[in-house]
Amino acid sequence: MAAQALALLREVARLEAPLEELRALQSVIQAVPLNELREQAAELRLGPLFSLLNENHREQTTLCVSILERLLQAVEPVHVARNLKVDLQRGLNHPDDSVKILTLSQIGRIVENSDAVTEILNNADLLKQIVYCIGGENLSVAKAAIKSLSRISLTQAGLEALFESNLLDDLKNVMKTNDIVRYRVYELIVEISSVSSESLNYCTTSGLVTQLLRELTGEDVLVRATCIEMVTSLAYTHHGRQYLAQEGVIDQISNIIVGADSDPFSSFYLPGFVKFFGNLAVMDSPQQICERYPVFVEKVFEMTESQDPTMIGVAVDTIGILGSNVEGKQVLQKTGTRFERLLMRIGHQAKNASTELKIRCLEAVSSLLYLPPEQQTDDLLRMTESWFSSLSRDSLDLFRGISNQPFPELHCAALKVFTAIANQPWAQKLMFNSPGFVEYLVDRSVEHDKASKDAKYELVKALANSKTIAEIFGNPNYLRLRTYLSEGPYYVKPVATTAVEGAD
């Protein structure tokens, strides 16, 4: 089969209008195992196929791209980098985006290979073309270019090639294309900056990080909304947070939140700014962040009282993030009755809001109420029990009602609330004393889709693995849970059939 493919490939090289041969080659090449192609890699002559890409013929180009995608998988990245340099450069200049994507996928293979990447770094023209691909209309092309440049920048030589040569000027020129392309370059810069302090230093020296931060704190509210997402990505790293603090950026973001009350357009950027602090708090210290930037907590509480579902959703998400660890839970507990009222609003939204907001509320509740076994002190257990009871007059009934709705996403989200509290003794007592709840737990007829079966199984597993469950549920019910667990999430009880004498 591989020999047939090679013969067809040689035939294609000799013909001026090889459409029929290309169709035949495509059919054969897909049937040849990749390991056979690799054995014949030394004999593959790909130049003619690349040259056929230069013809202005749609079907011919499509066939060549399909064939090359397959054949190039059999060729080592080093070979591609050394022997197909000119073809790669032509590919990046090709008017057909499928050819650019094919070329960038090969560049992606090359930059992942430590032996081959040097060939790219020593080819200034090719690097320049990759940079200019960021400015193309096709998002897939731009994303592939960003990914390759980001990968190149993982090495010292890559950082120097990108930031200590004319390539930096090319990057700045590409940014002038339009707003969308400028943000793509910022995305690349943040990706590179996030790798290490040294990478961040190269990016700040280039002036591009400073430019991003200037736009973040500028007057254009739509630009702010876009930039804060990228700055939040930078803040996921310790060195990124340090840099933002040293440059006074975190203080500036806090001040913008303070001034948001008098800004009629604050709804455009406020959600992103609040998310930024929520992530900052959980990555550093919730107590320190909330004490240093009290406006953040204040704004989150305010947003839960908003009439705007977008604001409520962001506030609920942020509360869930903030309360995902014990320190964050204690910060929220310190706000006293105010937080109890907030929980009541979350419970109300979980029952009455749109499906999307209901799910976000349920996810936040799961995050707030979960306590790992090693952190279950008497005080914290009393706190989560109190929070649960603040959500509604009968919180267990509320979540059972939601779990019975015929929407898999809501059903699963409600089950996750039960799973979050399943290892806490007070919750086990509530479940055991709720009529029909134990039967509901082991009833497999309730869940019909895979996600729901998985969610129910996780709930049963959390209960069955708890040290207090046998005492609270009693041994017979404990054994029913263990049986459910051992049978797995997708068990179907065999239906007994009875043979009737004389039946056909």
Side-chain angles (χ1 to χ4, degrees):
M1 189 72 80
Q4 185 185 354
L6 285 170
L8 280 166
L9 192 56
R10 284 191 287 270
E11 190 70 19
V12 165
R14 285 198 294 267
L15 297 173
E16 290 182 13
L19 268 183
E20 286 303 321
E21 285 70 16
L22 283 172
R23 292 187 192 114
L25 179 58
Q26 184 194 34
S27 177
V28 170
I29 216 79
Q30 298 301 332
V32 181
L34 206 53
N35 61 326
E36 284 188 33
L37 285 175
R38 289 197 179 104
E39 288 170 8
Q40 303 291 335
E43 296 184 48
L44 293 175
R45 297 290 177 262
L46 302 180
L49 281 172
F50 274 104
S51 64
L52 288 172
L53 290 169
N54 297 327
E55 303 295 326
N56 188 19
H57 192 298
R58 177 62 63 86
E59 186 185 358
Q60 183 170 296
T61 298
T62 302
L63 285 166
C64 287
V65 167
S66 174
I67 294 164
L68 282 166
E69 278 176 348
R70 180 70 175 164
L71 291 176
L72 284 165
Q73 290 179 56
V75 182
E76 288 298 319
V78 174
H79 180 87
V80 176
R82 288 176 183 164
N83 299 303
L84 298 172
K85 288 179 185 177
V86 175
D87 298 306
L88 291 175
Q89 285 179 227
R90 284 179 184 156
L92 292 182
N93 274 329
H94 201 281
D96 192 306
D97 286 331
S98 68
V99 178
K100 287 179 182 170
I101 290 169
L102 167 69
T103 308
L104 284 164
S105 71
Q106 292 309 307
I107 291 169
R109 291 179 67 217
I110 293 166
V111 299
E112 293 283 342
N113 185 295
S114 57
D115 295 324
V117 70
T118 310
E119 300 292 333
I120 296 278
L121 293 175
N122 292 334
N123 190 337
D125 289 338
L126 185 63
L127 283 171
K128 181 175 181 175
Q129 285 175 285
I130 298 171
V131 166
Y132 277 94
C133 281
I134 298 175
E137 289 184 16
N138 186 298
L139 182 60
S140 297
V141 170
K143 289 282 186 187
I146 288 169
K147 185 177 179 182
S148 291
L149 290 168
S150 179
R151 184 68 183 78
I152 286 169
S153 301
L154 291 177
T155 64
Q156 179 68 32
L159 286 168
E160 289 172 6
L162 194 56
F163 293 106
E164 293 184 352
S165 69
N166 293 334
L167 218 54
L168 180 58
D169 293 330
D170 294 322
L171 209 52
K172 291 178 178 178
N173 283 333
V174 168
M175 291 179 79
K176 296 173 185 175
T177 307
N178 56 43
D179 288 350
I180 292 171
V181 174
R182 189 167 78 254
Y183 299 141
R184 288 177 189 167
V185 174
Y186 285 149
E187 181 187 331
L188 169 64
I189 293 300
V190 168
E191 274 191 36
I192 295 171
S193 297
S194 299
V195 173
S196 66
S197 299
E198 185 181 15
S199 300
L200 175 58
N201 189 45
Y202 271 94
C203 292
T204 54
T205 304
S206 75
L208 294 176
V209 174
T210 307
Q211 188 176 329
L212 167 63
L213 296 177
R214 199 161 47 238
E215 293 203 45
L216 171 71
T217 54
E219 296 302 315
D220 190 320
V221 294
L222 294 176
V223 169
R224 277 184 187 175
T226 305
C227 291
I228 190 63
E229 291 184 25
M230 298 178 201
V231 173
T232 301
S233 296
L234 183 57
Y236 282 128
T237 65
H238 179 68
H239 65 270
R241 292 194 296 278
Q242 275 190 324
Y243 172 77
L244 293 173
Q246 287 165 4
E247 294 297 309
V249 177
I250 301 174
D251 290 337
Q252 285 177 290
I253 294 172
S254 175
N255 290 337
I256 290 172
I257 293 176
V258 171
D261 289 339
S262 57
D263 183 356
F265 301 106
S266 63
S267 61
F268 286 108
Y269 60 82
L270 200 52
F273 278 43
V274 168
K275 280 183 193 175
F276 169 82
F277 272 108
N279 285 304
L280 201 65
V282 83
M283 285 182 289
D284 269 351
S285 159
Q287 185 171 338
Q288 286 179 19
I289 294 297
C290 293
E291 285 178 357
R292 180 165 182 181
Y293 303 103
V295 66
F296 156 59
V297 181
E298 183 64 34
K299 186 57 66 176
V300 171
F301 276 85
E302 268 181 37
M303 286 166 69
T304 60
E305 298 173 11
S306 171
Q307 299 302 310
D308 181 352
T310 302
M311 292 294 187
I312 298 170
V314 170
V316 166
D317 292 345
T318 306
I319 289 290
I321 291 169
L322 193 55
S324 61
N325 61 35
V326 168
E327 187 182 325
K329 294 183 203 300
Q330 289 169 330
V331 167
L332 293 170
Q333 178 71 350
K334 285 178 184 175
T335 63
T337 55
R338 195 172 183 196
F339 187 60
E340 287 178 16
R341 290 196 298 273
L342 184 147
L343 288 169
M344 285 176 62
R345 285 193 292 277
I346 290 178
H348 176 79
Q349 296 291 348
K351 184 178 181 181
N352 301 296
S354 66
T355 299
E356 187 215 353
L357 187 49
K358 282 178 181 175
I359 291 167
R360 291 166 79 174
C361 288
L362 293 169
E363 287 174 349
V365 169
S366 300
S367 177
L368 288 167
L369 295 178
Y370 177 69
L371 275 178
E374 67 275 10
Q375 294 178 330
Q376 289 183 12
T377 63
D378 289 344
D379 285 346
L380 289 175
L381 286 168
R382 275 194 295 270
M383 180 188 75
T384 53
E385 182 177 9
S386 167
W387 286 4
F388 186 78
S389 63
S390 296
L391 288 161
S392 178
R393 287 181 182 174
D394 187 340
S395 299
L396 195 77
D397 192 55
L398 166 68
F399 296 120
R400 275 193 73 176
I402 295 171
S403 74
N404 288 330
Q405 292 183 23
F407 305 105
E409 285 186 327
L410 272 178
H411 177 73
C412 292
L415 288 178
K416 284 176 184 174
V417 172
F418 291 136
T419 305
I421 58 176
N423 64 4
Q424 301 177 47
W426 62 264
Q428 293 169 4
K429 289 172 186 173
L430 277 180
M431 292 176 188
F432 179 68
N433 292 323
S434 177
F437 196 88
V438 176
E439 283 67 30
Y440 165 72
L441 286 171
V442 294
D443 182 0
R444 291 183 181 272
S445 67
V446 179
E447 284 74 33
H448 304 291
D449 59 281
K450 181 181 183 299
S452 299
K453 292 175 192 289
D454 288 340
K456 169 69 82 68
Y457 186 75
E458 290 302 313
L459 169 55
V460 171
K461 183 164 72 173
L463 285 165
N465 290 338
S466 168
K467 292 179 180 178
T468 54
I469 195 70
E471 180 186 345
I472 293 170
F473 270 42
N475 273 324
N477 288 321
Y478 170 65
L479 291 174
R480 290 169 75 188
L481 293 175
R482 296 302 311 182
T483 300
Y484 189 113
L485 199 61
S486 65
E487 289 170 346
Y490 315 119
Y491 175 77
V492 178
K493 190 174 182 179
V495 178
T497 56
T498 306
V500 179
E501 190 177 345
D504 290 336

